[in-house]
Amino acid sequence: MSLPVASQTNTNRQSPEANGGSTSCAICQGAGWLANAVPLGHPLFGVLTPCTCMEAKRTGRRTMALYELSNLAPFHDKTFANFNVFVPGLRAIVPRVLAYAQHPDGWLSLLGPYGVGKTHLAAATAHEVLARDEPVLFVVAPDLLDHLRTTYGPQSTVSYDERFTLVRDAPLLVLDDLGTESATSWAREKLYQLLNHRYNLRLPTVITTNLKPSELDPRIYSRMCDPSVGQIIAITAPDYRRRTQPH
């Protein structure tokens, strides 16, 4: 049995309400720690144990930190719950993407023209994973390359290697809009290095692109096509953005 630290150290402690504070934990009375109710000489005498409210706070901070790291704030409304499956061509696709989101394994590549819901499905996958307190990183290809370039500047507070490693080794990486970045040799090589590493280690990766297969870097497309690593879903549907209501 454990007792609130506060009850052993200050029996005249006022309630938070009396001090103008918020309601404290009913278990530890706001102390955050519990002293074990054991006799003098017991191995646990004087040992403090974190209250369950401390663990809840840590979990909340971790969830917030994961969300901030994920880059999902601009896509907060892109979930499976509000995806419009009534757009022709999308109803059969959602269960496949959701199945991947529930058990991310290997690669999932979403191919299709502008406006067919690729980014929404990719963000929904990231939200599904994040809801389980599992880390995920959502990056748009051109933005990723811009962030890498800034590390070469004299004002950068982070090294190129540090930022590249963060993306390269993310437990789940969502790379949105592959192919919209500037087609420079540097950009092609960085993307290849990133995706080749994830391919070799079979790290969970979601890729969206509106490019045709013939327009993609053949080295990357070859890896996307490997059935032992992942799957490709080609989406053919009307412009999703123009069909926001069921018909």
Side-chain angles (χ1 to χ4, degrees):
M1 177 180 178
S2 298
L3 299 176
V5 174
S7 68
Q8 293 187 347
T9 58
N10 185 0
T11 56
N12 296 319
R13 182 177 181 273
Q14 288 184 303
S15 68
E17 292 81 2
N19 292 321
S22 59
T23 303
S24 64
C25 173
I27 300 175
C28 68
Q29 309 304 318
W33 297 86
L34 299 171
N36 294 285
V38 294
L40 181 67
H42 190 282
L44 294 180
F45 183 82
V47 177
L48 300 182
T49 303
C51 180
T52 54
C53 69
M54 295 289 285
E55 180 59 32
K57 290 178 181 178
R58 282 195 293 268
T59 300
R61 287 195 294 267
R62 172 179 164 81
T63 299
M64 181 59 66
L66 287 173
Y67 184 76
E68 292 174 351
L69 177 64
S70 71
N71 291 330
L72 278 172
F75 308 96
H76 64 92
D77 59 337
K78 302 295 189 294
T79 65
F80 285 110
N82 63 17
F83 188 81
N84 186 1
V85 297
F86 293 92
V87 175
L90 294 179
R91 182 183 291 272
I93 289 173
V94 174
R96 295 175 61 186
V97 180
L98 179 58
Y100 177 89
Q102 292 171 339
H103 303 284
D105 183 32
W107 289 20
L108 173 67
S109 301
L110 304 176
L111 278 61
Y114 292 105
V116 295
K118 300 186 303 298
T119 295
H120 191 141
L121 288 170
T125 298
H127 281 298
E128 184 78 13
V129 172
L130 197 62
R132 301 193 295 269
D133 279 344
E134 298 174 13
V136 56
L137 183 60
F138 187 106
V139 293
V140 181
D143 294 343
L144 166 63
L145 294 169
D146 285 345
H147 290 320
L148 291 177
R149 289 189 187 95
T150 62
T151 61
Y152 295 117
Q155 304 302 319
S156 177
T157 58
V158 61
S159 70
Y160 167 84
D161 288 342
E162 182 180 353
R163 182 161 292 171
F164 186 78
T165 300
L166 173 69
V167 180
R168 185 190 66 181
D169 296 333
L172 171 64
L173 174 67
V174 178
L175 183 61
D176 191 38
D177 269 347
L178 176 65
T180 57
E181 69 281 349
S182 299
T184 64
S185 58
W186 180 87
R188 286 195 299 270
E189 197 57 32
K190 293 304 143 186
L191 286 172
Y192 170 72
Q193 290 175 359
L194 167 68
L195 292 173
N196 184 55
H197 173 83
R198 298 188 67 83
Y199 170 81
N200 289 335
L201 296 183
R202 210 174 182 280
L203 296 176
T205 306
V206 177
I207 300 173
T208 77
T209 181
N210 55 61
L211 294 184
K212 298 177 181 178
S214 60
E215 298 172 324
L216 289 165
D217 183 329
R219 300 173 298 176
I220 293 176
Y221 183 63
S222 173
R223 286 158 175 75
M224 292 166 62
C225 291
D226 186 346
S228 69
V229 172
Q231 59 178 313
I232 292 179
I233 298 180
I235 304 176
T236 55
D239 192 330
Y240 180 85
R241 298 185 184 95
R242 299 182 183 180
R243 299 283 295 275
T244 56
Q245 299 297 327
H247 288 274

